[in-house]
Amino acid sequence: MTVRHTADELVDAYLKYLGEAAEPLPEERRTELLAEVRTHVAEERAAGVVTPEEVRAMLARLGDPDEIVAAATDGLVMVKRQPRFRSRDVATLLLLSFGGFLYLLGWVAGVALLWTSDRWTREEKLLGTLVLPFGFLPVALLGTLSTAACRADLNGEILGCGGYTYPGWFQVPIMIALAAVQLVALFVLVKNARPRRSAGLRG
Amino acid sequence: MVAEKVFSQLRRGTLEYCVLALLQDDERYGFDLVKALSKVDGLVTTEGTLYPLLARLRREGLVDTVWRESESGPPRRYYTTTAAGTAALAAFIVDWERFRGSVDSVLGLGGRR
């Protein structure tokens, strides 16, 4: 308190505080407000406000930075906006898609995260659960099953598959369809995720 | 001051019309406008809050701004009134005179004029 500050230090500290207080303002308003106040201070100093005491009085006339920022938020609804995707929501989507590969349990964890999240409605949660159970795992299994269990001749012609026949013309479209359905469901979840669309365990 | 809260609200409501009134005759440099208002007794407590007020008036289309070169230093932002601003001021003056008359007459300060 007894430390003597130079006029420059006082001005710098004031502008720094104002800049921080104005942080929540929309960028354009913040920049403009800071420029106006900076100009004001420069004009005052050019007009004869020189000593630290004079600067102090000038800054007191300008007013508390918090008060100035409050005046600038007039008419704005200041809401702390939640990000659309928290890390738990990203984890939810990844586990729903690929959790099946983690001994199936990953997908179960994904479903648990999905149903306790507030980002999606009940209908979307149902969609996320039913399309598809275990995510991309069934798609991948379908692919490996056939190559592992099917015998092909030298020309790549499939001769037969395991205990059951698996026509090749049938398998590829099914895989594509399953993967596509899965992608569509994922797309819906990504697109619709918003805070507070349903009651979640935590907001 | 007992009525400080009341007057801070009165100020808040009337200050923008004082700004519009000062801009009726001439355009004014932002800094000069703020200092002119600040010289009026009891009208402005914190000069800094006038800049957000001016910004709001501009957003509402009641004032306009132009940048002018200055002989010394960077360009200056000048404020001018708009047709909407002049109309808003005229409407306010009518309401204000009636309001002031009503309060004065109830307070026994000279009655209606």
Side-chain angles (χ1 to χ4, degrees), chain A residues 29 32-33 36-37 39-40 43-44 58 61-64 67-68 71-72 74, chain B residues 12 29 31 34-35 45-49 51-52 55-56 58-59 76-77 79:
Chain A
R29 279 199 203 187
E32 189 186 305
L33 178 65
E36 297 266 38
V37 172
T39 306
H40 182 99
E43 291 286 356
E44 289 270 30
M58 179 259 289
R61 278 199 306 276
L62 256 178
D64 184 349
E67 222 176 298
I68 298 175
D74 225 30
Chain B
R12 191 189 299 240
Y29 174 40
F31 176 75
V34 168
K35 294 312 275 187
T45 48
T46 50
E47 295 173 347
T49 55
Y51 291 105
R56 180 167 63 80
R58 200 184 63 232
R59 280 198 300 276
R76 295 171 157 193
R77 173 179 255 163
Y79 289 84

Side-chain angles (χ1 to χ4, degrees), chain B residues 29 43 99:
Chain B
Y29 174 40
L43 197 57
F99 176 76

Side-chain angles (χ1 to χ4, degrees), chain A residues 113-173:
Chain A
L113 282 173
L114 176 69
W115 284 89
T116 53
S117 173
D118 69 341
R119 276 1 186 209
W120 295 284
T121 63
R122 232 176 76 101
E123 289 69 29
E124 286 154 8
K125 288 174 180 177
L126 271 175
L127 177 80
T129 310
L130 299 177
V131 183
L132 295 170
F134 304 107
F136 283 105
L137 181 68
V139 182
L141 280 185
L142 203 58
T144 47
L145 262 186
S146 55
T147 45
C150 293
R151 289 172 297 117
D153 66 10
L154 289 175
N155 299 324
E157 210 92 62
I158 293 171
L159 299 171
C161 290
Y164 50 93
T165 43
Y166 217 120
W169 58 265
F170 189 65
Q171 175 205 342
V172 175

Side-chain angles (χ1 to χ4, degrees), chain B residues 9-28:
Chain B
Q9 281 168 354
L10 274 175
R11 252 181 239 121
R12 191 189 299 240
T14 51
L15 204 47
E16 60 188 82
Y17 297 100
C18 297
V19 170
L20 293 176
L22 284 182
L23 293 177
Q24 287 311 299
D25 307 326
D26 208 359
E27 61 175 37
R28 278 175 187 257

Side-chain angles (χ1 to χ4, degrees), chain B:
Chain B
M1 197 194 218
V2 184
E4 184 49 51
K5 208 171 170 186
V6 173
F7 277 97
S8 89
Q9 281 168 354
L10 274 175
R11 252 181 239 121
R12 191 189 299 240
T14 51
L15 204 47
E16 60 188 82
Y17 297 100
C18 297
V19 170
L20 293 176
L22 284 182
L23 293 177
Q24 287 311 299
D25 307 326
D26 208 359
E27 61 175 37
R28 278 175 187 257
Y29 174 40
F31 176 75
D32 290 339
L33 182 58
V34 168
K35 294 312 275 187
L37 285 165
S38 152
K39 280 204 192 84
V40 184
D41 182 38
L43 197 57
V44 176
T45 48
T46 50
E47 295 173 347
T49 55
L50 287 171
Y51 291 105
L53 171 70
L54 289 171
R56 180 167 63 80
L57 293 179
R58 200 184 63 232
R59 280 198 300 276
E60 290 173 357
L62 299 179
V63 303
D64 222 340
T65 57
V66 276
W67 290 92
R68 299 221 184 285
E69 296 296 326
S70 74
E71 307 101 61
S72 57
R76 295 171 157 193
R77 173 179 255 163
Y78 279 73
Y79 289 84
T80 61
T81 188
T82 62
T86 304
L89 176 63
F92 174 78
I93 288 173
V94 172
D95 288 344
W96 174 256
E97 282 189 320
R98 207 176 64 199
F99 176 76
R100 189 189 56 196
S102 305
V103 174
D104 280 355
S105 74
V106 172
L107 294 180
L109 296 175
R112 286 179 171 275
R113 272 167 287 189

